[in-house]
Structures are given as structure tokens and as C-alpha cells.
Amino acid sequence: SRQTVHPDISDRGKAFDLPTQIVDGHNILEIRAAMDKAVEMARSNQMNIVEVKTKRWGPHYIGQPIGYRDDMEEIEEDMKNGDSLVLYERYLLENGYADEEYFENLKKEITDEIETNIEKASKAEFPVFDDIYRKENIYTQPETGGDL
């Protein structure tokens, strides 16, 4: 509200006669449908705008004081109930696309993969600072896609 009077930033596109879509940033299916339409338009050489409405749950940068917001309780509630993954999981369950067992197995698989990678990283050789300037250091490793 301090940057622009109108809450829909995409309205700026109207000055250029650009079609716009505004979607709920917590609804994966709505985002997908809007992006499918936007990509189709773009491929037929029609510029367009998709504005995805969502909330920033954390500060702008690490170290920003948390007290800059007065709606932290609302944000915490949104994180529990309005998170896009929570909403999508609920949608899949309610519509019979998946069951609780599927999500339990998926969460276990993801947790195991994360733990495996943490263990692998903790045993890996510590990188040399000058390696950040060597592009081949990233792209020649088999685990990151092969050779240059």
C-alpha cells in the first residue's frame, strides 16, 4: 500500500492493453490453469500478465526484525491451513486421488532422501573458496548432470 494505491499490480498492464489474470497463489490448480492459458497466449505472440496473490510468510532478508508486522498470528494460521501443499494434499484426499497411506509413504521417502543427502554432505570434502569461480566444478560432477 506504500508503493501503489491499487492492490492489483497487474492493472498496470491495462495501460498497454495487456490481458491479465489474477489468481490465488495458494491454489496450485488455479495457478496451473492460469499459467497454461498464459503460455498458450505467449506462444501465439500475445503478451499477457499473470498476477499471483500470496503472502510473504517471512522477512525480506535474514536478520530483519520480526516486529515489522502486526499480523503474525494470522500468518502462522495461514502457514498451517493455507499453505499450497496442505491445500493440495487436502484436495487430493477429498477427491479420492490419493489416500493417507500414500502421503505417509511419500513423506517418509522425502525425509529419508533429505537425511541421506545431509549425511552425504556432512562427509563431503569442504569446498575450496576459489572453486566458486570454476564453472566446470559444478557441471562436471556426475551427480549434477555430467560433463562439460
Side-chain angles (χ1 to χ4, degrees):
S1 64
R2 291 185 293 184
Q3 304 299 322
T4 181
V5 175
H6 199 284
D8 299 330
I9 305 255
S10 60
D11 276 354
R12 292 180 178 186
K14 289 179 181 176
F16 303 97
D17 199 28
L18 292 175
T20 64
Q21 300 178 76
I22 298 175
V23 296
D24 176 1
H26 300 278
N27 185 326
I28 292 171
L29 297 175
E30 191 176 321
I31 294 169
R32 175 62 189 261
M35 293 310 297
D36 285 346
K37 181 179 177 182
V39 167
E40 185 179 320
M41 292 171 75
R43 287 183 177 149
S44 54
N45 295 320
Q46 185 177 9
M47 294 186 297
N48 64 94
I49 297 172
V50 177
E51 181 176 353
V52 180
K53 298 279 192 175
T54 188
K55 291 183 179 178
R56 188 183 70 257
W57 289 348
H60 285 284
Y61 57 89
I62 295 173
Q64 182 178 19
I66 294 186
Y68 74 100
R69 297 181 80 141
D70 58 1
D71 60 349
M72 287 311 292
E73 286 181 25
E74 180 184 332
I75 296 298
E76 289 172 9
E77 187 66 26
D78 278 350
M79 289 174 76
K80 282 190 267 180
N81 299 311
D83 178 82
S84 56
L85 294 176
V86 171
L87 294 173
Y88 191 56
E89 180 178 333
R90 189 178 306 147
Y91 169 83
L92 293 174
L93 288 168
E94 289 173 357
N95 290 282
Y97 295 113
D99 57 17
E100 291 289 344
E101 182 181 357
Y102 170 80
F103 286 109
E104 287 172 21
N105 291 336
L106 181 62
K107 289 172 187 175
K108 182 183 179 335
E109 182 181 323
I110 290 168
T111 300
D112 290 348
E113 184 176 346
I114 289 170
E115 288 173 358
T116 299
N117 285 315
I118 288 172
E119 184 177 333
K120 181 180 174 184
S122 67
K123 292 178 181 176
E125 185 178 318
F126 199 80
V128 177
F129 182 78
D130 288 338
D131 284 349
I132 65 172
Y133 300 107
R134 291 180 38 226
K135 184 177 178 182
E136 70 273 7
N137 186 52
I138 297 168
Y139 297 108
T140 59
Q141 305 302 315
E143 54 275 351
T144 58
D147 44 316
L148 254 165

